[in-house]
Amino acid sequence: MRNVSGSPAGKPRHGATGWSGVRGKRVVVTGGTRGLGEQIVRLLAAEGARVATCARTAEDLAALAASVDTAELFTDALDVTEPGRLESFVATSAKRFGGLDGVVACVGGSRGGRFERAEAEDWAATWEMNVGHTARLVRTAVPHLRAAGGGSVVVISSISGWKPGPYVQYGVAKSAQIQLAASLARELGPNGIRVNAVSPGSMLIPGRRWDRMRRDDPDGFAAFVAAELPGGAPVAPEEVARVVAFLLSDLSSGISGAHLPVDRAQNAPSPDGY
Ligand SMILES: NC(=O)c1ccc[n+]([C@@H]2O[C@H](COP(=O)([O-])OP(=O)(O)OC[C@H]3O[C@@H](n4cnc5c(N)ncnc54)[C@H](OP(=O)(O)O)[C@@H]3O)[C@@H](O)[C@H]2O)c1
């Protein structure tokens, strides 16, 4: 099993890549205070992009802004599932930046338990957090992207969106995001807008599920890695962030409608079976 070192949450764990593919791009990223979203925001800022991000916790947004070395970060505390708030955030971001060149739908997650315990409200909440928020984000951004002569949309799906595993309400929603990206790539292509889906594998995020399992159940974690992760370790959020930045950049101008797994050839999404 390969050793993957984490660093304390909130600390940048990578520098700029050295290429200027997103320099000056104006990008909205939902859910930028933790996990993958945080790494996307930090990388884009390091590369010279102008970034707007949101989360529900104002203190975390303030801490992020204080630790990112750019004057070009705009933050807003909101719940993306609250009607109208996401839309006004996108509009305000476009106004502050004088337009938009890209959006990243990164907020996502699951509500409820296994199939027989998951209620209708769990399905609805999971759908809205993943698919609903993505659709409203893109719909609101389209006029701004079109006005800029085109742009790039990145939808964060999951390995759970194309490989079976619990919880099914989550997998179904992440699967729908892949379909959404493929369809919108066709529908928005004539406007010069590219749309792609990125599916991370099980990411090793400090303090989150796989990191906790590595600490609390090292034998179970080692068995998970041996069975499902031929790369010898879960993918790191920084690795996924680099792919997202590439898709936002003009360097990827030929890619649209793609579904791009970033999972080191992971097999099952979790050790939880099916
Ligand atoms: N973690 C994994 O292993 C994994 C694997 C594959 C795919 N993914 C996908 O990758 C994406 C990011 O996952 P993650 O694990 O990195 O996320 P995370 O650590 O749970 O972070 C979520 C971020 O989104 C914000 N957020 C959550 N709900 C929100 C809401 N309703 N409105 C506004 N902001 C909200 C959080 O801040 P607040 O809590 O303050 O709102 C935080 O900034 C998700 O789409 C997830 O499905 C994750």
Side-chain angles (χ1 to χ4, degrees):
M1 183 170 58
R2 282 178 46 196
N3 181 40
V4 174
S5 61
S7 66
K11 290 274 170 16
R13 289 184 289 167
H14 53 65
T17 61
W19 47 266
S20 59
V22 293
R23 182 163 301 282
K25 297 275 187 201
R26 302 159 296 183
V27 185
V28 170
V29 181
T30 61
T33 57
R34 289 197 308 272
L36 175 58
E38 178 190 353
Q39 296 306 320
I40 294 170
V41 168
R42 290 188 182 282
L43 177 58
L44 292 178
E47 297 289 350
R50 306 170 74 185
V51 188
T53 194
C54 64
R56 292 164 300 183
T57 312
E59 297 75 25
D60 291 349
L61 287 166
L64 177 75
S67 67
V68 171
D69 186 21
T70 175
E72 300 287 5
L73 180 68
F74 169 57
T75 66
D76 195 2
L78 60 103
D79 186 332
V80 297
T81 65
E82 189 185 322
R85 277 300 278 123
L86 177 61
E87 287 80 351
S88 63
F89 166 61
V90 172
T92 306
S93 302
K95 194 168 177 190
R96 286 180 78 109
F97 293 159
L100 289 181
D101 303 296
V103 293
V104 182
C106 193
V107 167
S110 190
R111 292 287 178 272
R114 290 258 184 169
F115 181 60
E116 288 182 272
R117 294 205 314 272
E119 306 296 341
E121 306 84 64
D122 298 323
W123 279 82
T126 302
W127 182 267
E128 185 54 32
M129 202 185 330
N130 295 279
V131 188
H133 121 264
T134 300
R136 291 189 293 105
L137 172 70
V138 178
R139 189 164 185 258
T140 310
V142 162
H144 303 291
L145 300 174
R146 189 191 287 128
S152 174
V153 174
V154 182
V155 178
I156 304 300
S157 178
S158 168
I159 186 172
S160 298
W162 64 291
K163 290 185 172 176
Y167 301 127
V168 68
Q169 64 273 26
Y170 177 67
V172 166
K174 299 314 266 186
S175 181
Q177 287 184 303
I178 296 170
Q179 160 66 19
L180 183 69
S183 291
L184 291 183
R186 301 290 295 261
E187 190 161 339
L188 302 177
N191 298 294
I193 299 171
R194 299 184 292 116
V195 188
N196 293 289
V198 168
S199 284
S202 302
M203 290 183 287
L204 200 59
I205 296 169
R208 299 301 301 276
R209 182 177 179 190
W210 307 118
D211 188 43
R212 289 199 307 269
M213 184 183 183
R214 181 172 64 160
R215 187 188 60 219
D216 300 341
D217 179 14
D219 291 344
F221 183 76
F224 174 44
V225 170
E228 312 295 355
L229 293 155
V235 71
E238 295 91 329
E239 295 175 289
V240 183
R242 287 197 290 271
V243 174
V244 173
F246 169 67
L247 289 173
L248 289 168
S249 81
D250 295 337
L251 297 174
S252 62
S253 58
I255 306 177
S256 191
H259 168 227
L260 196 48
V262 187
D263 61 11
R264 300 178 197 243
Q266 183 173 349
N267 300 315
S270 79
D272 297 345
Y274 285 7

